[in-house]
Amino acid sequence: MKTIVQVALDLLEIDRAVQIAKEALEGGVDWIEVGTPLIKSEGMSAIRRIRKEFPGYTVLADMKTIDTGSIEVEMAAKSGADIVMILGGSDNSTIDDSVRSAHQYGVKLMADLMSVNDPVERAIQLEKMGIDYINVHVGIDQQMQGYDPIYLLKDVVDAVNVPVAVAGGIDEQRSSEIVNTGADIVIVGGNITRSDNVSRAAKTIRSSVDSPSKFQVSKQSLDDEIYELLTSTSTPNISDAMHRKGAMRKIIPLVQDTKMVGKAVTVQTFEGDWAKPVQAIDIAKPGDVIVIYNSSKDIACWGGLATFSCLNKGIAGVVVDGAVRDVDDITNIGLPIFAGNTVPNAGDPKGFGEINSEITCGSQNVRPGDYIVGDNNGVVVVPKERAYEIARRSKEIEKGEQRLYDEVKRGRTLSDIAQLNKWEKQ
Ligand SMILES: O=C(CO)[C@H](O)[C@H](O)COP(=O)(O)O
């Protein structure tokens, strides 16, 4: 049987969803999913509209039903869904009544295994209870923590006879792996719908599903993955991912068009005392960022020679909440340096302060090992414990913006696309 590709329309606005669905179908997807955010935003009318716009295509309504199965399945069926997604972790009473309702209204049911305790055992039970498809799903928030549906897929495929779908951050590499593992339906959301070229993204997934051996999955260390993600997103995307937190105040780049990503080596020092900042160069490892708090904005604790020394150690960049001098030399050296002020005069090396203690820099708390990212916009601090999650979320934000740029390019305004009036806080 040919593997089905289903596009998940996880958007908030139906006109955008219709347009994206059209482009995804041009790229070769088979089924259309009305995603949960779209259903929550637009109600059953979203399912009706998709049904009307795309006669002849299979439409799945991701209701994520957890209670009142009968009512929710009836609503989705009467609105034009062919398949209704319910949560596999719902109480058996809800599953049973959903199955009865599905039979009454002539639709199929897919059960989502997201957050189920024993997914393989539950998949077997759900099949026995009359569920038509099982969905091995890692939710969007779970993906940001590094969960991956692929690890569970094989066991579920081996355990049940009904077709198995898989969803959760699937891209062209993952879809290839998934087909080889035996899934029947590949559900793709963000990697199609947030692309700046939806039909091309859908086509890439289609060809990966149809010719799975072409794609090689690259395995990276967690640090490498975090580094790669943070390097390829902007500080505004990262700040958005942190709910507007993390941005350093009154710190600007001295060298334009550079990108700095690395783990913090922190320095606390006083009134232009440049001993600890310069000693930190010897302590830092290649790829680290030196983050300095100096209490004076009028006496430099950092300059051209210190910057030049950083090249010998492979330091990724320096942030100074204080003053820096030798701006011309620093610009020629080209290492990313961020500072609160520039002045001609330096202080003396007295040796006061500390290296690798918790400091405040640009009004942000910085601990050794936190990720520091800088670009033309300024500097953000990413707490080390949440670095992977924030890096993933930043990338998702960037993808969403790519699609928005594409829609603006076609002549719409941001206010119109984002429906600012509708979504203003009441
Ligand atoms: O059901 C969903 C979220 O709960 C999504 O539709 C599903 O995860 C597919 O989207 P993505 O590919 O972006 O993960």
Side-chain angles (χ1 to χ4, degrees), residues 260-275:
M260 174 184 77
V261 179
K263 290 184 181 172
V265 169
T266 60
V267 183
Q268 171 76 47
T269 182
F270 304 94
E271 296 288 322
D273 179 350
W274 50 266

Side-chain angles (χ1 to χ4, degrees), residues 150-424:
I150 195 94
Y151 297 113
L152 181 60
L153 183 60
K154 175 112 186 62
D155 291 344
V156 174
V157 166
D158 289 347
V160 297
N161 297 305
V162 292
V164 175
V166 60
I170 293 169
D171 57 13
E172 79 262 25
Q173 289 188 336
R174 279 273 172 277
S175 47
S176 181
E177 214 179 344
I178 280 161
V179 172
N180 287 331
T181 312
D184 305 283
I185 302 154
V186 176
I187 303 176
V188 184
N191 283 312
I192 291 180
T193 61
R194 293 189 196 158
S195 164
D196 60 349
N197 189 330
V198 164
S199 43
R200 190 179 56 207
K203 214 173 185 171
T204 309
I205 300 276
R206 173 86 267 162
S207 87
S208 156
V209 165
D210 293 344
S211 321
S213 54
K214 273 199 232 158
F215 291 87
Q216 283 294 317
V217 176
S218 58
K219 299 268 181 241
Q220 286 177 306
S221 75
L222 194 63
D223 271 352
D224 286 350
E225 200 178 340
I226 293 170
Y227 180 84
E228 196 178 296
L229 287 165
L230 292 177
T231 304
S232 65
T233 49
S234 68
T235 55
N237 292 153
I238 296 168
S239 166
D240 284 357
M242 293 172 69
H243 298 271
R244 322 273 184 267
K245 300 235 165 52
M248 287 192 180
R249 290 195 191 159
K250 296 185 180 155
I251 300 288
I252 57 164
L254 297 189
V255 185
Q256 291 300 307
D257 300 330
T258 56
K259 180 89 191 194
M260 174 184 77
V261 179
K263 290 184 181 172
V265 169
T266 60
V267 183
Q268 171 76 47
T269 182
F270 304 94
E271 296 288 322
D273 179 350
W274 50 266
K276 293 289 173 208
V278 167
Q279 286 163 5
I281 301 170
D282 292 350
I283 287 169
K285 292 192 289 304
D288 284 346
V289 172
I290 298 176
V291 185
I292 302 164
Y293 177 77
N294 186 267
S295 55
S296 172
K297 291 258 192 295
D298 303 314
I299 313 169
C301 69
W302 190 267
L305 282 169
T307 303
F308 200 39
S309 305
C310 285
L311 296 186
N312 291 341
K313 285 294 306 285
I315 309 290
V318 182
V319 186
V320 184
D321 189 346
V324 169
R325 68 176 189 167
D326 303 327
V327 178
D328 294 340
D329 293 343
I330 287 174
T331 307
N332 286 335
I333 294 165
L335 191 76
I337 305 289
F338 296 80
N341 198 16
T342 58
V343 294
N345 50 304
D348 288 308
K350 294 177 187 148
F352 292 122
E354 253 178 310
I355 296 175
N356 274 338
S357 59
E358 189 167 328
I359 62 165
T360 301
C361 181
S363 305
Q364 293 294 331
N365 210 40
V366 185
R367 296 156 311 152
D370 285 342
Y371 278 85
I372 309 295
V373 186
D375 58 21
N376 284 349
N377 305 285
V379 179
V380 288
V381 184
V382 179
K384 50 190 166 190
E385 301 78 9
R386 292 189 61 217
Y388 180 79
E389 180 199 347
I390 290 165
R392 286 287 306 264
R393 288 191 188 277
S394 311
K395 201 69 200 166
E396 293 305 307
I397 287 167
E398 188 204 80
K399 283 189 214 157
E401 287 192 351
Q402 279 170 14
R403 174 70 198 180
L404 290 173
Y405 272 112
D406 186 57
E407 291 183 26
V408 173
K409 219 189 286 168
R410 296 173 194 205
R412 292 181 74 185
T413 65
L414 181 58
S415 162
D416 170 35
I417 299 166
Q419 294 199 308
L420 289 185
N421 283 338
K422 176 176 167 186
W423 289 105
E424 267 170 20

Side-chain angles (χ1 to χ4, degrees), residues 6 33 60 62 85-86 110-114 126 131 133-138 152 156 163-168 185 187:
Q6 173 174 313
E33 172 184 321
L60 180 143
D62 187 2
M85 183 95 80
I86 65 173
M110 189 180 280
D112 184 330
L113 292 181
M114 189 167 82
L126 289 164
I131 292 294
Y133 305 93
I134 299 292
N135 181 17
V136 178
H137 181 206
V138 161
L152 181 60
V156 174
V164 175
V166 60
I185 302 154
I187 303 176

